[in-house]
Amino acid sequence: MAKRDYYEVLGISKGASAGEIKKAYRKKAIEFHPDKNPDDKTAEAKFKEAAEAYEILSDGDKKARYDQFGHQAFEGGGGGGFNGGMNMDDIFSQFGDIFGGGFGGGFSGFGGGGGQRRSKGSNLRIRVKLTLEEVANGVEKKIKVKRKVQASGVTYKTCSTCNGSGQVTRIANTILGRMQTASPCNVCSGSGQVINNRPSDADAQGLKLAEETVSIKIPAGVVDGMQLKVSGKGNEAPGNGISGDLLVAIEELDHENLQREGDNLHYDLYVSFPEAVLGTSKEIETVTGKVRIKVEAGMQSGKILRLRGKGIPSINGYGKGDLLVHVNVWTPKTLNKQQREFFETMLEDDHFSPKPESSDKSFFEKVKDMFS
């Protein structure tokens, strides 16, 4: 199969500058990179084709020969490593720096160049207990955390094995020619430095335990079991590494009078029989303070009063839930003689006979409405 024109491969003109050639190759290499196109043989072929074009056009001598004679200038193996059968490792080894910060380093399965690694410290996990009021309103908690930090007096020196590069390069002779591969240095774990001086209170990595007060802002609407992350407040990493994170697990404490169900709250309100008959007003507890509600005369037991917006804010910012007040008429279990005589005379009174209206919904209808 005839090879495509190298300028066509990179999508540039013959008059392209060195910077334009490099930019065009980087764009193609990212587009067809194996990590972005796993198990895609077509993308892999285009990735190699772009690398071959760049290898020729980025070299002044080879570019001049190609401009004059085309592909014929390199027939017979005179072109360079790609015509000699270079594989993916060779591409990353030779052109790994072309990708810059976003793609610099050994790619999965191909172990290219990439320089020093910045190790990351381990994460820490804590559990924070919140009242229902704190869940509803959000809260800032100051928590004492024991975390590993770099000990005072620790100094580092350049790793002599990799000379500070963080990688060791190996060259092997194969039937395809000399192959160069790079891998993280096993002495410094890719950081490029090792401990030079370590105080007695530090561990082998130059770290020690220290207690720190961490401020944690907890948004309104969190739920039991949810995990929040405080970046950089886990254990520190040795050298110039990145600190781990502090993972905060939420534990919601039970409330004495309120029950949570999603973003809604439930409250059981008990009224006496005379209060239900004559009507009254009652002070009830909410997560933002106490409010007074009116109990209409003739209120039936099982009635649900909905206080809109008195529930829990949505963690996603979609408003607030409601407070559902369940009215329960309390029936006395014992009566004195006078009370008993009164109710006995009312047994046959038509006014006391149950006469449910359409507005007095059944239990199942109330449950249905509650979840609608």
Side-chain angles (χ1 to χ4, degrees), residues 5-276:
D5 179 80
Y6 286 149
Y7 292 100
E8 180 185 341
V9 169
L10 297 183
I12 55 177
S13 65
K14 278 193 174 184
S17 66
E20 290 171 332
I21 293 172
K22 184 175 183 178
K23 184 178 179 180
Y25 169 55
R26 185 179 189 275
K27 182 179 178 181
K28 294 293 182 182
I30 292 174
E31 180 182 356
F32 300 115
H33 193 280
D35 281 354
K36 292 184 68 176
N37 304 275
D39 301 320
D40 187 338
K41 295 298 182 183
T42 301
E44 182 178 332
K46 289 184 177 181
F47 181 82
K48 291 179 179 179
E49 184 184 45
E52 179 178 340
Y54 178 69
E55 190 240 12
I56 300 299
L57 300 182
S58 63
D59 183 290
D61 281 340
K62 293 178 182 178
K63 182 179 183 298
R65 289 162 61 193
Y66 179 76
D67 288 346
Q68 187 174 0
F69 303 108
H71 292 298
Q72 291 180 348
F74 309 108
E75 287 180 358
F82 289 93
N83 289 316
M86 288 181 72
N87 60 19
M88 299 294 263
D89 281 340
D90 300 308
I91 297 173
F92 292 129
S93 177
Q94 189 164 341
F95 303 131
D97 62 332
I98 202 77
F99 298 98
F103 286 87
F107 297 89
S108 61
F110 295 108
Q116 296 179 359
R117 290 182 176 183
R118 292 190 69 190
S119 58
K120 184 175 182 180
S122 58
N123 294 335
L124 291 176
R125 289 173 174 80
I126 61 171
R127 185 176 295 274
V128 173
K129 296 181 179 181
L130 301 178
T131 65
L132 193 57
E133 288 81 3
E134 290 172 330
V135 168
N137 300 298
V139 66
E140 184 172 349
K141 291 279 190 179
K142 295 187 182 297
I143 306 294
K144 289 184 177 180
V145 177
K146 287 187 176 181
R147 55 192 294 255
K148 286 186 177 182
V149 299
Q150 186 166 293
S152 178
V154 173
T155 59
Y156 295 85
K157 65 180 180 180
T158 300
C159 176
S160 59
T161 302
C162 65
N163 294 320
S165 68
Q167 293 199 332
V168 290
T169 303
R170 295 179 177 83
I171 299 176
N173 293 317
T174 73
I175 59 173
L176 299 176
R178 289 167 64 82
M179 296 292 187
Q180 177 177 292
T181 60
S183 59
C185 176
N186 62 345
V187 175
C188 65
S189 300
S191 68
Q193 56 184 352
V194 292
I195 291 180
N196 182 45
N197 181 62
R198 177 168 58 89
S200 59
D201 62 342
D203 61 17
Q205 294 181 311
L207 305 174
K208 69 174 185 178
L209 274 178
E211 188 173 76
E212 180 179 341
T213 300
V214 178
S215 181
I216 305 171
K217 290 185 178 180
I218 300 173
V222 293
V223 297
D224 189 80
M226 181 177 285
Q227 187 170 270
L228 307 178
K229 182 178 75 172
V230 183
S231 298
K233 289 302 181 180
N235 290 321
E236 290 186 358
N240 64 344
I242 304 168
S243 295
D245 301 322
L246 178 64
L247 306 179
V248 183
I250 300 299
E251 181 178 342
E252 186 179 312
L253 299 173
D254 291 335
H255 193 278
E256 184 178 2
N257 299 312
L258 297 169
Q259 295 289 329
R260 181 180 182 181
E261 183 181 43
D263 293 337
N264 291 332
L265 295 174
H266 297 269
Y267 181 90
D268 277 316
L269 174 65
Y270 289 91
V271 297
S272 69
F273 191 78
E275 288 173 328

Side-chain angles (χ1 to χ4, degrees), residues 297-317:
M299 181 76 71
Q300 301 297 317
S301 187
K303 179 74 174 180
I304 299 175
L305 306 177
R306 185 184 292 265
L307 304 185
R308 296 198 178 275
K310 292 294 184 180
I312 303 293
S314 169
I315 189 67
N316 297 316

